[in-house]
Amino acid sequence: MKKMNKAFLMLGIVAILTGCGQAVPAGNLPQNITAGTNGSQSDAENNIDKGNEEKQDTEASDQSNDKKENGIFSFIYEGVKLTPGEVFEQSMLGEASGISERETCAFGEKARVYNYEMFELETYVEGEKELIYSIYFIDPNLPTTEGLCLGDTVDDMKALYGENYEMEGSSYDYSGGDTMLAIITQNDVVMSIEYRLKK
């Protein structure tokens, strides 16, 4: 009988709280966390968001440090690391939406251009190997390994890559080993991003 009275009492409390528009904390939440009302976030959600932001900041920092430690610029796309001067195989990225060839003076042979819709990847042949020459960004939503996108500002670029660049007109060239990151701007807005081999 006492158990039934307790059950009815609990149901009554829940009904009253629900009727007043008060959220009932879940059984696995600490009791000092209150649920937000009128669309505001709870303390728990805010803590989760802060944790996610810190994790993203750490990941971005790690990626930037990775580039600096290696001394070269590499583009990471869907887990595949693409570095100018390194071997390229079509199986690395899957089927391209288009492949074309063009004459090039730089390598004395034809260059091959693979279109992956978000970017174009140009290769050259050295001996029996096909090597990456450049990666040219097309889609404004595609970020560099460090997080720069077309449409970002020069200040965004400097925050990610610093001020150790060579500048010619509105073009900023960051060098790392035999690789470079070439960024062209217009009115302080990034209009072109290209990873390429210094050759």
Side-chain angles (χ1 to χ4, degrees), residues 12 17 21 35 37 40 72 79 84 90 92 99 102 106 118 131 138-139 144 153 159 166 181 190:
L17 288 175
T37 56
S40 64
I72 57 173
Q90 292 184 49
M92 294 167 67
I99 302 173
R102 66 177 185 85
M118 296 186 86
L131 307 175
I138 298 170
D139 194 310
T144 64
T153 66
E166 291 181 20
L181 182 64
V190 174

Side-chain angles (χ1 to χ4, degrees), residues 6 27 30 37 47 58 60 88 109 112-113 121 156:
K6 283 185 181 178
T37 56
N47 288 337
T58 302
F88 175 72
E109 292 187 28
R112 187 173 289 161
V113 179
L121 186 143
D156 295 328

Side-chain angles (χ1 to χ4, degrees), residues 24-115:
V24 181
N28 60 350
L29 289 177
Q31 294 303 312
N32 62 349
I33 295 176
T34 57
T37 56
N38 298 328
S40 64
Q41 288 185 315
S42 68
D43 291 342
E45 289 171 329
N46 286 332
N47 288 337
I48 289 169
D49 288 343
K50 285 178 187 173
N52 287 339
E53 285 172 12
E54 288 171 5
K55 182 180 176 185
Q56 288 170 354
D57 289 344
T58 302
E59 287 173 354
S61 174
D62 288 346
Q63 287 178 337
S64 182
N65 288 338
D66 181 53
K67 189 277 299 176
K68 290 174 186 172
E69 286 171 12
N70 292 332
I72 57 173
F73 284 96
S74 295
F75 173 50
I76 298 174
Y77 179 72
E78 294 185 352
V80 179
K81 188 174 184 180
L82 303 168
T83 304
E86 296 292 321
V87 173
F88 175 72
E89 296 174 2
Q90 292 184 49
S91 60
M92 294 167 67
L93 295 174
E95 190 173 342
S97 60
I99 302 173
S100 60
E101 290 187 349
R102 66 177 185 85
E103 296 293 333
T104 175
C105 298
F107 309 108
E109 292 187 28
K110 290 182 179 178
R112 187 173 289 161
V113 179
Y114 297 87
N115 187 311

